[in-house]
Amino acid sequence: MTKPAIEALGLRKSYGHKLVLDGIDLRIPEGSIFSLLGPNGAGKTTTVQILSTLIGADAGAIRVAGHDPATEPDRVRSAIGVTGQFAAVDNLLTAEENLLLMADLRHLPRAEGRRRAAELLDRFDLREAARKPASTCSGGMRRRLDIAMTLIGDPRIIFLDEPTTGLDPRSRRGMWQLIRELVADGVTIFLTTQYLEEADQLADRIAVLDRGRIVAEGTAAELKSRIPGGHVRLQFGDLAELESAAGAFGVLARDDEALTLQVPGDGSLRTLRALLDRLDQESIEVEGLSVHTPDLDDVFLALTGQAEGAQEVLR
């Protein structure tokens, strides 16, 4: 089993009488992308703040890079990088100066800091901005600079708290590629995002947080398969074949004009094979088929804001 980069068991946090995290468990393998989804106020940022040593937990056993954030915060900080929702660059400094400042804060030797800064300017396509004030950079360029600053100390775990908020689609996809490259180098990414497509595209595993509890966790495909509404859409050449199929499968959603029939299914290979075998047994000719499964939007809406109902869905 892959060594965990982050582990948490029974993580709890309250602010006064408001319970923010109600005993969540996490296990994130090294070199993977883990995405935490949830509505505003669900506890996503609080989780990141606890795991990155910014605030303390009220209860729970935590290990980040093998260290306890409560008793070994310096060891945790030396292993991680954090990029918040807003780019933490100094607008009065150039891109290169921002990187060199971060190198100084990381206590890198001067020569090593300059080497790392030059390397990151090339890697993140920031040479154009190297000598320009950060205030003149585009939103996408500032985001790339923000992550480059996070990488100056060569962290093995990076917390990205809504890293593409406010970016245009082209810049967002460019950021996705950078994230994939980091993971290919063995970096572990803990991602919170409001863009469900982002989690779908990037994450190896996704957890849905609602009212301080994790109500579902799995791969994107696993989460989608748990939500009702998946179906196979069958296309027929004539009404007779449609009638034969409707008779074989019972009362289903059908469209006589389009000559289509919707058969409930989770989109799995096993279900699809069983459907095709049934059609073959009934000697029913199908001109085409398409598989439709719920997307993460459906998962999010089904699971958040109704934790009790979510548990019923997952049974």
Tab-separated table of all heavy atoms in Angstrom, residues 233-273:
chain	number	residue	atom	x	y	z
A	233	ARG	N	-29.129	4.838	-23.324
A	233	ARG	CA	-30.107	5.307	-24.320
A	233	ARG	C	-29.953	4.460	-25.581
A	233	ARG	O	-28.886	4.450	-26.207
A	233	ARG	CB	-29.861	6.788	-24.623
A	233	ARG	CG	-30.866	7.424	-25.582
A	233	ARG	CD	-30.604	8.918	-25.641
A	233	ARG	NE	-31.527	9.623	-26.507
A	233	ARG	CZ	-31.329	9.854	-27.803
A	233	ARG	NH1	-30.207	9.414	-28.379
A	233	ARG	NH2	-32.222	10.507	-28.514
A	234	LEU	N	-31.001	3.729	-25.909
A	234	LEU	CA	-30.991	2.853	-27.082
A	234	LEU	C	-31.680	3.543	-28.258
A	234	LEU	O	-32.755	4.124	-28.106
A	234	LEU	CB	-31.718	1.540	-26.767
A	234	LEU	CG	-31.151	0.711	-25.603
A	234	LEU	CD1	-32.051	-0.487	-25.342
A	234	LEU	CD2	-29.716	0.281	-25.891
A	235	GLN	N	-31.054	3.473	-29.418
A	235	GLN	CA	-31.609	4.076	-30.640
A	235	GLN	C	-32.033	2.949	-31.587
A	235	GLN	O	-31.248	2.034	-31.863
A	235	GLN	CB	-30.564	4.956	-31.313
A	235	GLN	CG	-31.018	5.578	-32.627
A	235	GLN	CD	-31.991	6.720	-32.411
A	235	GLN	OE1	-31.695	7.632	-31.653
A	235	GLN	NE2	-33.141	6.672	-33.074
A	236	PHE	N	-33.275	3.029	-32.090
A	236	PHE	CA	-33.794	1.976	-32.949
A	236	PHE	C	-34.042	2.502	-34.363
A	236	PHE	O	-34.214	3.711	-34.577
A	236	PHE	CB	-35.091	1.407	-32.367
A	236	PHE	CG	-34.890	0.789	-31.012
A	236	PHE	CD1	-35.124	1.524	-29.858
A	236	PHE	CD2	-34.445	-0.515	-30.898
A	236	PHE	CE1	-34.925	0.962	-28.612
A	236	PHE	CE2	-34.242	-1.081	-29.656
A	236	PHE	CZ	-34.479	-0.340	-28.500
A	237	GLY	N	-34.104	1.565	-35.309
A	237	GLY	CA	-34.298	1.943	-36.705
A	237	GLY	C	-35.744	2.137	-37.075
A	237	GLY	O	-36.052	2.850	-38.035
A	238	ASP	N	-36.646	1.491	-36.338
A	238	ASP	CA	-38.071	1.646	-36.647
A	238	ASP	C	-38.897	1.427	-35.380
A	238	ASP	O	-38.387	0.944	-34.356
A	238	ASP	CB	-38.508	0.696	-37.767
A	238	ASP	CG	-38.197	-0.757	-37.450
A	238	ASP	OD1	-38.593	-1.225	-36.355
A	238	ASP	OD2	-37.544	-1.418	-38.269
A	239	LEU	N	-40.179	1.752	-35.486
A	239	LEU	CA	-41.066	1.684	-34.331
A	239	LEU	C	-41.278	0.246	-33.861
A	239	LEU	O	-41.447	-0.010	-32.660
A	239	LEU	CB	-42.408	2.339	-34.671
A	239	LEU	CG	-43.390	2.538	-33.511
A	239	LEU	CD1	-42.767	3.389	-32.407
A	239	LEU	CD2	-44.687	3.171	-34.020
A	240	ALA	N	-41.213	-0.708	-34.784
A	240	ALA	CA	-41.433	-2.103	-34.407
A	240	ALA	C	-40.349	-2.587	-33.453
A	240	ALA	O	-40.632	-3.274	-32.459
A	240	ALA	CB	-41.464	-2.979	-35.658
A	241	GLU	N	-39.114	-2.252	-33.756
A	241	GLU	CA	-38.015	-2.641	-32.877
A	241	GLU	C	-38.140	-1.946	-31.514
A	241	GLU	O	-37.866	-2.532	-30.462
A	241	GLU	CB	-36.661	-2.301	-33.518
A	241	GLU	CG	-36.329	-3.112	-34.756
A	241	GLU	CD	-36.044	-4.578	-34.431
A	241	GLU	OE1	-35.948	-4.932	-33.236
A	241	GLU	OE2	-35.945	-5.378	-35.377
A	242	LEU	N	-38.551	-0.676	-31.536
A	242	LEU	CA	-38.760	0.051	-30.285
A	242	LEU	C	-39.843	-0.624	-29.448
A	242	LEU	O	-39.689	-0.795	-28.232
A	242	LEU	CB	-39.145	1.511	-30.587
A	242	LEU	CG	-39.569	2.377	-29.385
A	242	LEU	CD1	-38.442	2.473	-28.360
A	242	LEU	CD2	-39.989	3.769	-29.856
A	243	GLU	N	-40.946	-1.047	-30.105
A	243	GLU	CA	-42.023	-1.718	-29.391
A	243	GLU	C	-41.536	-3.045	-28.791
A	243	GLU	O	-41.886	-3.395	-27.657
A	243	GLU	CB	-43.199	-1.974	-30.345
A	243	GLU	CG	-43.947	-0.729	-30.778
A	243	GLU	CD	-44.837	-0.170	-29.675
A	243	GLU	OE1	-44.876	-0.749	-28.564
A	243	GLU	OE2	-45.501	0.855	-29.913
A	244	SER	N	-40.734	-3.772	-29.547
A	244	SER	CA	-40.217	-5.056	-29.058
A	244	SER	C	-39.363	-4.848	-27.815
A	244	SER	O	-39.474	-5.590	-26.833
A	244	SER	CB	-39.394	-5.741	-30.149
A	244	SER	OG	-40.197	-6.068	-31.260
A	245	ALA	N	-38.496	-3.820	-27.862
A	245	ALA	CA	-37.615	-3.539	-26.725
A	245	ALA	C	-38.422	-3.076	-25.525
A	245	ALA	O	-38.169	-3.501	-24.385
A	245	ALA	CB	-36.587	-2.477	-27.112
A	246	ALA	N	-39.419	-2.207	-25.759
A	246	ALA	CA	-40.248	-1.708	-24.664
A	246	ALA	C	-41.000	-2.862	-24.004
A	246	ALA	O	-41.162	-2.909	-22.783
A	246	ALA	CB	-41.224	-0.656	-25.172
A	247	GLY	N	-41.438	-3.855	-24.830
A	247	GLY	CA	-42.127	-5.006	-24.277
A	247	GLY	C	-41.198	-5.892	-23.468
A	247	GLY	O	-41.590	-6.472	-22.450
A	248	ALA	N	-39.936	-5.975	-23.899
A	248	ALA	CA	-38.970	-6.835	-23.214
A	248	ALA	C	-38.522	-6.240	-21.885
A	248	ALA	O	-38.322	-6.969	-20.904
A	248	ALA	CB	-37.764	-7.078	-24.117
A	249	PHE	N	-38.386	-4.923	-21.849
A	249	PHE	CA	-37.823	-4.280	-20.654
A	249	PHE	C	-38.876	-3.663	-19.740
A	249	PHE	O	-38.547	-3.168	-18.660
A	249	PHE	CB	-36.819	-3.194	-21.059
A	249	PHE	CG	-35.556	-3.758	-21.650
A	249	PHE	CD1	-35.353	-3.748	-23.021
A	249	PHE	CD2	-34.584	-4.316	-20.840
A	249	PHE	CE1	-34.197	-4.262	-23.574
A	249	PHE	CE2	-33.422	-4.843	-21.379
A	249	PHE	CZ	-33.226	-4.822	-22.758
A	250	GLY	N	-40.128	-3.641	-20.155
A	250	GLY	CA	-41.160	-3.083	-19.299
A	250	GLY	C	-41.357	-1.597	-19.542
A	250	GLY	O	-40.946	-1.047	-20.563
A	251	VAL	N	-41.991	-0.940	-18.582
A	251	VAL	CA	-42.321	0.484	-18.714
A	251	VAL	C	-41.055	1.309	-18.501
A	251	VAL	O	-40.500	1.357	-17.403
A	251	VAL	CB	-43.396	0.903	-17.695
A	251	VAL	CG1	-43.703	2.385	-17.841
A	251	VAL	CG2	-44.650	0.072	-17.894
A	252	LEU	N	-40.573	1.948	-19.559
A	252	LEU	CA	-39.368	2.762	-19.500
A	252	LEU	C	-39.631	4.106	-20.180
A	252	LEU	O	-40.632	4.286	-20.885
A	252	LEU	CB	-38.206	2.058	-20.211
A	252	LEU	CG	-37.807	0.668	-19.672
A	252	LEU	CD1	-36.789	0.032	-20.590
A	252	LEU	CD2	-37.246	0.784	-18.266
A	253	ALA	N	-38.699	5.031	-19.986
A	253	ALA	CA	-38.803	6.315	-20.685
A	253	ALA	C	-38.543	6.082	-22.163
A	253	ALA	O	-37.482	5.575	-22.541
A	253	ALA	CB	-37.790	7.300	-20.102
A	254	ARG	N	-39.531	6.422	-22.988
A	254	ARG	CA	-39.393	6.194	-24.424
A	254	ARG	C	-39.801	7.433	-25.196
A	254	ARG	O	-40.573	8.259	-24.722
A	254	ARG	CB	-40.233	4.998	-24.868
A	254	ARG	CG	-41.705	5.133	-24.565
A	254	ARG	CD	-42.478	3.889	-24.961
A	254	ARG	NE	-42.717	3.819	-26.408
A	254	ARG	CZ	-43.322	2.795	-26.998
A	254	ARG	NH1	-43.728	1.745	-26.278
A	254	ARG	NH2	-43.540	2.800	-28.298
A	255	ASP	N	-39.257	7.552	-26.394
A	255	ASP	CA	-39.562	8.666	-27.272
A	255	ASP	C	-39.875	8.073	-28.640
A	255	ASP	O	-38.971	7.647	-29.374
A	255	ASP	CB	-38.366	9.624	-27.349
A	255	ASP	CG	-38.677	10.891	-28.149
A	255	ASP	OD1	-39.521	10.828	-29.054
A	255	ASP	OD2	-38.055	11.936	-27.852
A	256	ASP	N	-41.167	8.018	-28.977
A	256	ASP	CA	-41.572	7.390	-30.229
A	256	ASP	C	-41.094	8.169	-31.445
A	256	ASP	O	-40.827	7.573	-32.500
A	256	ASP	CB	-43.095	7.236	-30.267
A	256	ASP	CG	-43.589	6.151	-29.317
A	256	ASP	OD1	-42.728	5.540	-28.637
A	256	ASP	OD2	-44.810	5.916	-29.250
A	257	GLU	N	-41.004	9.480	-31.334
A	257	GLU	CA	-40.551	10.275	-32.475
A	257	GLU	C	-39.065	10.065	-32.727
A	257	GLU	O	-38.630	9.901	-33.868
A	257	GLU	CB	-40.824	11.762	-32.227
A	257	GLU	CG	-42.306	12.121	-32.276
A	257	GLU	CD	-42.514	13.625	-32.221
A	257	GLU	OE1	-41.511	14.373	-32.296
A	257	GLU	OE2	-43.678	14.056	-32.103
A	258	ALA	N	-38.273	10.060	-31.655
A	258	ALA	CA	-36.837	9.874	-31.810
A	258	ALA	C	-36.461	8.407	-31.915
A	258	ALA	O	-35.306	8.081	-32.221
A	258	ALA	CB	-36.095	10.510	-30.634
A	259	LEU	N	-37.422	7.516	-31.637
A	259	LEU	CA	-37.198	6.062	-31.663
A	259	LEU	C	-36.118	5.664	-30.651
A	259	LEU	O	-35.184	4.917	-30.963
A	259	LEU	CB	-36.812	5.586	-33.068
A	259	LEU	CG	-37.876	5.769	-34.160
A	259	LEU	CD1	-37.335	5.319	-35.506
A	259	LEU	CD2	-39.159	5.012	-33.815
A	260	THR	N	-36.241	6.185	-29.435
A	260	THR	CA	-35.261	5.887	-28.390
A	260	THR	C	-35.944	5.339	-27.145
A	260	THR	O	-37.119	5.603	-26.898
A	260	THR	CB	-34.445	7.138	-27.996
A	260	THR	OG1	-35.330	8.130	-27.471
A	260	THR	CG2	-33.673	7.679	-29.175
A	261	LEU	N	-35.150	4.590	-26.385
A	261	LEU	CA	-35.622	4.009	-25.141
A	261	LEU	C	-34.513	4.156	-24.103
A	261	LEU	O	-33.332	3.940	-24.415
A	261	LEU	CB	-35.936	2.525	-25.356
A	261	LEU	CG	-36.716	1.785	-24.271
A	261	LEU	CD1	-38.150	2.297	-24.204
A	261	LEU	CD2	-36.694	0.286	-24.557
A	262	GLN	N	-34.881	4.544	-22.884
A	262	GLN	CA	-33.901	4.694	-21.815
A	262	GLN	C	-34.022	3.527	-20.839
A	262	GLN	O	-35.070	3.324	-20.237
A	262	GLN	CB	-34.102	6.012	-21.067
A	262	GLN	CG	-33.748	7.247	-21.884
A	262	GLN	CD	-33.862	8.519	-21.060
A	262	GLN	OE1	-34.016	8.467	-19.839
A	262	GLN	NE2	-33.799	9.662	-21.722
A	263	VAL	N	-32.913	2.777	-20.710
A	263	VAL	CA	-32.870	1.638	-19.803
A	263	VAL	C	-32.010	2.012	-18.602
A	263	VAL	O	-30.846	2.391	-18.771
A	263	VAL	CB	-32.271	0.398	-20.496
A	263	VAL	CG1	-32.249	-0.794	-19.544
A	263	VAL	CG2	-33.061	0.068	-21.760
A	264	PRO	N	-32.540	1.964	-17.385
A	264	PRO	CA	-31.734	2.328	-16.213
A	264	PRO	C	-30.468	1.475	-16.119
A	264	PRO	O	-30.487	0.269	-16.402
A	264	PRO	CB	-32.665	2.047	-15.030
A	264	PRO	CG	-34.042	2.113	-15.613
A	264	PRO	CD	-33.915	1.580	-17.005
A	265	GLY	N	-29.360	2.103	-15.723
A	265	GLY	CA	-28.088	1.385	-15.581
A	265	GLY	C	-27.036	2.290	-14.999
A	265	GLY	O	-27.107	3.519	-15.144
A	266	ASP	N	-26.038	1.693	-14.353
A	266	ASP	CA	-24.994	2.494	-13.712
A	266	ASP	C	-23.814	2.792	-14.635
A	266	ASP	O	-22.841	3.421	-14.228
A	266	ASP	CB	-24.488	1.797	-12.443
A	266	ASP	CG	-23.919	0.401	-12.719
A	266	ASP	OD1	-23.742	0.048	-13.910
A	266	ASP	OD2	-23.643	-0.331	-11.744
A	267	GLY	N	-23.878	2.330	-15.894
A	267	GLY	CA	-22.817	2.617	-16.839
A	267	GLY	C	-21.638	1.672	-16.751
A	267	GLY	O	-20.677	1.819	-17.505
A	268	SER	N	-21.704	0.685	-15.855
A	268	SER	CA	-20.578	-0.248	-15.701
A	268	SER	C	-20.541	-1.227	-16.868
A	268	SER	O	-21.551	-1.470	-17.547
A	268	SER	CB	-20.691	-1.010	-14.388
A	268	SER	OG	-21.792	-1.887	-14.415
A	269	LEU	N	-19.369	-1.818	-17.088
A	269	LEU	CA	-19.216	-2.791	-18.163
A	269	LEU	C	-20.110	-4.004	-17.914
A	269	LEU	O	-20.698	-4.554	-18.849
A	269	LEU	CB	-17.744	-3.223	-18.255
A	269	LEU	CG	-17.375	-4.152	-19.410
A	269	LEU	CD1	-17.694	-3.504	-20.747
A	269	LEU	CD2	-15.896	-4.538	-19.335
A	270	ARG	N	-20.234	-4.410	-16.662
A	270	ARG	CA	-21.073	-5.557	-16.319
A	270	ARG	C	-22.530	-5.299	-16.705
A	270	ARG	O	-23.183	-6.153	-17.324
A	270	ARG	CB	-20.971	-5.828	-14.818
A	270	ARG	CG	-21.871	-6.952	-14.326
A	270	ARG	CD	-21.758	-7.109	-12.818
A	270	ARG	NE	-22.069	-5.862	-12.124
A	270	ARG	CZ	-23.299	-5.434	-11.892
A	270	ARG	NH1	-24.336	-6.141	-12.322
A	270	ARG	NH2	-23.506	-4.306	-11.247
A	271	THR	N	-23.043	-4.126	-16.354
A	271	THR	CA	-24.427	-3.785	-16.669
A	271	THR	C	-24.646	-3.689	-18.170
A	271	THR	O	-25.661	-4.163	-18.699
A	271	THR	CB	-24.809	-2.445	-16.000
A	271	THR	OG1	-24.636	-2.560	-14.591
A	271	THR	CG2	-26.238	-2.069	-16.310
A	272	LEU	N	-23.685	-3.083	-18.861
A	272	LEU	CA	-23.804	-2.920	-20.313
A	272	LEU	C	-23.775	-4.280	-21.009
A	272	LEU	O	-24.551	-4.530	-21.947
A	272	LEU	CB	-22.674	-2.026	-20.822
A	272	LEU	CG	-22.755	-1.580	-22.280
A	272	LEU	CD1	-24.066	-0.833	-22.532
A	272	LEU	CD2	-21.564	-0.695	-22.638
A	273	ARG	N	-22.921	-5.182	-20.542
A	273	ARG	CA	-22.842	-6.520	-21.148
A	273	ARG	C	-24.157	-7.276	-20.947
A	273	ARG	O	-24.640	-7.950	-21.869
A	273	ARG	CB	-21.682	-7.300	-20.530
A	273	ARG	CG	-21.457	-8.666	-21.188
A	273	ARG	CD	-20.340	-9.439	-20.519
A	273	ARG	NE	-19.052	-8.788	-20.745
A	273	ARG	CZ	-18.287	-8.303	-19.785
A	273	ARG	NH1	-18.694	-8.357	-18.519
A	273	ARG	NH2	-17.126	-7.751	-20.060
